[in-house]
Amino acid sequence: MPASWGRHVAAFAAFQLSDALACAIPLDYIRRDLDNIGCPEPVRRAIPPIKAASAAGLLLGRRWPLLGRITSVALVAYFLTAIGFHVRAKDPAWRSLPAGSLMVTSGVFAARAFRPAS
């Protein structure tokens, strides 16, 4: 993995880990958003470990690209599911932009950052 990708992946992993902590608390705005989209309690409890595991998978993917690619693809599915929750809740489209941008970021990492060494 080129060094520039490594820094981007590390930054995204740090974001995922900080978001895992914010969801574990949960911060008021996160609780309100999850209430608004009708996120069930079992899913809410699963979000922090999923995000923490994704941070670990991204960081370990710097050493093992296949793990990074699998993690990135799983994040695409995760953020696509988040967009689905927003659509189901009839949220305005702009409310899905964060999940959409993170989904695209994850897809780019899967396609570009975690290429096996040649």
Side-chain angles (χ1 to χ4, degrees):
M1 169 184 296
S4 62
W5 280 113
R7 288 189 298 271
H8 287 76
V9 168
F12 190 44
F15 171 79
Q16 284 294 99
L17 188 56
S18 64
D19 200 27
L21 293 172
C23 290
I25 293 172
L27 297 177
D28 285 339
Y29 78 92
I30 292 172
R31 185 181 299 116
R32 281 192 309 270
D33 282 349
L34 294 174
D35 287 345
N36 183 54
I37 63 173
C39 185
E41 189 58 36
V43 174
R44 291 178 193 220
R45 286 192 304 270
I47 291 172
I50 289 169
K51 287 183 176 275
S54 74
L58 290 168
L59 290 175
L60 291 170
R62 296 169 65 187
R63 174 79 166 102
W64 295 288
L66 181 59
L67 177 60
R69 184 169 281 186
I70 291 167
T71 300
S72 296
V73 169
L75 281 169
V76 169
Y78 173 87
F79 290 118
L80 188 60
T81 301
I83 291 168
F85 269 94
H86 285 284
V87 169
R88 188 185 70 175
K90 296 182 175 41
D91 267 351
W94 65 267
R95 301 275 307 195
S96 296
L97 286 177
S101 65
L102 294 171
M103 181 183 70
V104 169
T105 300
S106 300
V108 169
F109 285 164
R112 302 291 307 260
F114 295 111
R115 290 186 184 168
S118 309

